[in-house]
Amino acid sequence: MKRMVMMMMIALSVSVASAKTVESIFSVNGKCSSCKARIEKAAKSVDGVKTASWNIKSHKLVITYDDAKTSPKKVQWSIVKAGHDVGKMKASDADYNRLPACCRYRNK
């Protein structure tokens, strides 16, 4: 029993040691402070995301996250589901159309 507990502790310490905080930057479409709040909320809703900051002028989102818990793709997917295009990932028309009219950025 002691040996099994010891092996579990070693395995846990190895997995904790391999996790690290990583920064990632990508483009997210949006227009205003309402978009900023929505984008950052969607990013932060992903387990493992520690910080998220979207710049209105540059359209760049900077996230820091625990790479053992999540990945940029998972964060991007959450933002796309909130209605915002992320690089080449496009929000569905249904998700995009749920954005307030003032936040819609696609040209018709």
Side-chain angles (χ1 to χ4, degrees), residues 20-82:
K20 62 183 180 221
T21 300
V22 179
E23 181 179 276
S24 187
I25 302 171
F26 41 89
S27 294
V28 180
N29 286 333
K31 293 173 71 174
C32 63
S33 59
S34 293
C35 294
K36 177 178 174 59
R38 186 180 312 100
I39 291 164
E40 291 174 355
K41 181 179 179 182
K44 291 175 187 174
S45 73
V46 177
D47 185 39
V49 173
K50 297 180 179 192
T51 64
S53 180
W54 183 71
N55 184 286
I56 294 171
K57 290 182 181 180
S58 70
H59 291 200
K60 299 293 183 193
L61 176 69
V62 179
I63 59 168
T64 56
Y65 61 95
D66 179 338
D67 73 341
K69 292 184 177 181
T70 195
S71 68
K73 284 288 182 204
K74 289 180 184 176
V75 177
Q76 292 168 350
W77 178 248
S78 178
I79 295 166
V80 165
K81 291 300 295 170

Side-chain angles (χ1 to χ4, degrees), residues 81 92-100 104:
K81 291 300 295 170
S92 70
D93 288 341
D95 289 334
Y96 177 77
N97 289 328
R98 277 195 288 276
L99 293 175
R104 295 185 188 155

Side-chain angles (χ1 to χ4, degrees), residues 8-21 66-68:
M8 287 173 48
M9 289 178 66
I10 290 170
L12 180 62
S13 66
V14 168
S15 68
V16 169
S18 66
K20 62 183 180 221
T21 300
D66 179 338
D67 73 341

Side-chain angles (χ1 to χ4, degrees), residues 79-94:
I79 295 166
V80 165
K81 291 300 295 170
H84 292 272
D85 298 340
V86 180
K88 293 181 180 181
M89 293 176 68
K90 302 293 181 196
S92 70
D93 288 341

